[in-house]
Amino acid sequence: MITVTAPIWLWSEGQGQWHFLTVPPEQAVEIRVYGLGDVRRGFEAVRVSATIADVTWRTSVFPQKSGGYILPLKADVRRRTGIAAGDEVTVELELL
């Protein structure tokens, strides 16, 4: 289990906006090593089960050039947990 506490940030392009949380490089080592096997998906993403508060969902984390990973936060997850861009949250990640 990987536990990360970080702020939610907003990325906008064109008409869309996406919310993410960054797993810093020093906490992403386990993900990176796990992703070296046959578990990678498109864009070298790694499947995870993510939990914020009492909300758990399955998604993927995507590698960054910095060595970290980004976790997308769906609108439904943000609504159910009451979080928004700029909030600092704690997420638990389980590699799948």
Side-chain angles (χ1 to χ4, degrees):
M1 188 76 60
I2 300 165
T3 303
V4 177
T5 300
I8 299 170
W9 54 275
L10 184 65
W11 184 71
S12 299
E13 181 164 316
Q15 303 268 339
Q17 292 185 330
W18 293 268
H19 292 75
F20 295 96
L21 182 142
T22 300
V23 179
E26 57 275 6
Q27 288 185 277
V29 173
E30 184 178 350
I31 300 170
R32 218 171 14 263
V33 170
Y34 186 77
L36 293 175
D38 293 333
V39 297
R40 285 182 294 186
R41 303 174 75 77
F43 303 102
E44 297 189 13
V46 176
R47 300 274 302 155
V48 297
S49 174
T51 303
I52 296 176
D54 61 348
V55 176
T56 300
W57 74 102
R58 287 186 172 200
T59 188
S60 295
V61 291
F62 299 88
Q64 295 184 297
K65 291 180 184 178
S66 68
Y69 281 78
I70 56 173
L71 170 72
L73 299 169
K74 300 176 185 180
D76 180 60
V77 170
R78 297 191 317 272
R79 181 186 49 76
R80 291 171 54 202
T81 56
I83 59 177
D87 291 347
E88 186 166 277
V89 298
T90 298
V91 61
E92 292 184 348
L93 300 174
E94 179 183 349
L95 302 173
L96 299 177

